[in-house]
Amino acid sequence: PSLQREHRKWICENPSAVFEAKGFYVTPFEVPNVVTIPSLVKEITKYKSWTEFVNQALGETANNTDAQLTKTDIEKAQWTDGTLRTSEMHNIGIDVGQICHIAIGRLTQAGQLHIVHRERCVLDKLKERKNILKREFRVAVTVMDSQPETNLVHQMQKVDKNLYGGVYSQNRKLATYEVVMVDKNAKEGKLPINQARIVRDLGFDELKDMYKAGLVFWQPQDDQEDGLFADHSTDMTREQVLDRSNEMIYTWAKSKEGQDHYMHTTLYLHTACRLMPTVSKNVSLASFPISLKLKVSQKTDSAV
């Protein structure tokens, strides 16, 4: 096709807008004598995916469904065979806000993340609900959002040694997470809490891959809560941006209108589950209700 100027015309994209403005969106197709069709065809071979070619070579927004979490992915993860809840020890992830979002679950030996319970509560009731849920689900490790309620995390750590404040990091040289214990002799300016530092985008990438691989299952509760969980889990999109070093990286960006709280909660839960083997030796089982099954056998001999 010929892309010369005589074959093109300007078309108003928003004729119903009530304000006056001029905007110009330039693509490679606007300069066909500089960026030719054969050169674009050759350019395709330099990229691993069609999405990257559209984003980088054409300068247009494109999302690869394999690189995003979709409603279909979340629906496939819904558990439909009874209950996921067992007598095993669980962990908690909490996204803190005026309305706190809580998820409880565990990692199986097969590497599956089982989300057995979700709920929301007001901030003033968080400590009370967390203590109740800890006893009810035999919770070992808790990872909760450390911002902006750092003082709350500090208070809760005084009575729960296996509670960590989740802190997002952009250090891509780290593993997905690392534990940083508070230094009592540290100078002012450092967070006075035990931290679970999480590489945010890498953590969301791992969650996305687990959903795609069928390694995440969640217990249905009610239509409203389940719909909210699905909306939050699919609100963010994985986009390419330039970092401070002017290198192209992928990041997860929240939509302008939506909410993503349960997605963060799930990441905190996943981190708590992975921390469990390293801190389980500090978990006191005295506070957990344990049911004992006793077998009584009758003896024919009267002597005891």
Side-chain angles (χ1 to χ4, degrees):
S2 174
L3 299 179
Q4 299 304 317
R5 186 175 297 274
E6 59 268 21
H7 300 294
R8 293 181 278 141
K9 65 178 179 179
W10 290 103
I11 299 177
C12 185
E13 189 177 43
N14 54 343
S16 60
V18 296
F19 61 90
E20 293 185 2
K22 291 183 178 180
F24 300 91
Y25 175 52
V26 180
T27 74
F29 298 107
E30 303 295 333
V31 285
N33 295 331
V34 178
V35 182
T36 63
I37 295 297
S39 69
L40 283 175
V41 174
K42 185 177 180 180
E43 189 78 7
I44 294 177
T45 63
K46 299 179 181 179
Y47 295 92
K48 296 181 180 179
S49 69
W50 171 257
T51 302
E52 290 187 10
F53 167 71
V54 174
N55 286 332
Q56 302 303 317
L58 302 186
E60 298 180 352
T61 301
N63 293 325
N64 188 344
T65 56
D66 291 335
Q68 307 293 335
L69 270 180
T70 66
K71 288 291 179 66
T72 301
D73 296 325
I74 305 302
E75 290 171 358
K76 287 182 178 179
Q78 179 175 331
W79 186 260
T80 57
D81 188 18
T83 178
L84 283 172
R85 184 173 176 178
T86 69
S87 60
E88 297 181 37
M89 298 185 70
H90 293 77
N91 305 284
I92 289 183
I94 306 173
D95 183 59
V96 180
Q98 292 304 311
I99 300 296
C100 300
H101 294 70
I102 303 171
I104 301 175
R106 68 185 184 278
L107 273 179
T108 69
Q109 293 183 350
Q112 296 177 347
L113 177 62
H114 288 186
I115 305 173
V116 303
H117 178 75
R118 294 162 284 114
E119 70 174 65
R120 292 168 289 157
C121 73
V122 295
L123 181 60
D124 292 343
K125 297 291 185 180
L126 179 59
K127 287 199 291 186
E128 177 183 349
R129 283 303 300 163
K130 189 261 183 186
N131 291 334
I132 293 174
L133 293 170
K134 181 179 180 180
R135 293 190 296 269
E136 182 180 350
F137 289 89
R138 304 184 70 225
V139 170
V141 182
T142 299
V143 175
M144 60 184 291
D145 188 4
S146 64
Q147 299 293 339
E149 303 295 335
T150 306
N151 289 335
L152 177 62
V153 178
H154 183 62
Q155 294 172 13
M156 295 174 69
Q157 282 184 347
K158 290 181 179 180
V159 296
D160 188 347
K161 302 301 181 182
N162 287 321
L163 184 149
Y164 297 86
V167 179
Y168 283 147
S169 171
Q170 296 297 330
N171 188 353
R172 294 178 176 271
K173 294 181 180 179
L174 297 177
T176 310
Y177 68 93
E178 68 171 352
V179 172
V180 179
M181 305 301 288
V182 63
D183 184 358
K184 296 181 180 179
N185 299 319
K187 297 181 180 179
E188 294 183 4
K190 293 188 177 181
L191 289 176
I193 59 173
N194 296 331
Q195 304 172 30
R197 292 186 180 174
I198 307 166
V199 183
R200 178 185 183 276
D201 294 323
L202 183 58
F204 286 135
D205 283 346
E206 288 192 359
L207 274 183
K208 179 262 299 179
D209 291 340
M210 290 181 68
Y211 269 105
K212 298 289 186 183
L215 295 176
V216 179
F217 293 100
W218 54 275
Q219 185 74 50
Q221 293 178 206
D222 59 71
D223 291 343
Q224 180 179 4
E225 197 67 28
D226 294 349
L228 196 68
F229 178 74
D231 290 341
H232 286 198
S233 299
T234 55
D235 179 72
M236 288 190 289
T237 56
R238 192 169 181 263
E239 303 175 355
Q240 283 187 317
V241 297
L242 291 173
D243 64 7
R244 296 178 179 178
S245 302
N246 207 35
E247 294 183 359
M248 192 64 67
I249 61 171
Y250 281 103
T251 188
W252 288 80
K254 174 182 175 181
S255 70
K256 294 181 180 180
E257 298 81 13
Q259 302 290 332
D260 58 355
H261 300 294
Y262 268 128
M263 187 64 171
H264 293 276
T265 302
T266 305
L267 180 55
Y268 292 139
L269 170 61
H270 186 222
T271 303
C273 291
R274 296 175 69 178
L275 284 174
M276 183 176 173
T278 64
V279 299
S280 59
K281 61 182 180 181
N282 298 323
V283 178
S284 173
L285 297 180
S287 60
F288 297 124
I290 300 177
S291 60
L292 300 178
K293 295 182 179 179
L294 303 179
K295 182 178 180 180
V296 180
S297 59
Q298 294 181 343
K299 293 186 177 181
T300 55
D301 191 347
S302 59
V304 177

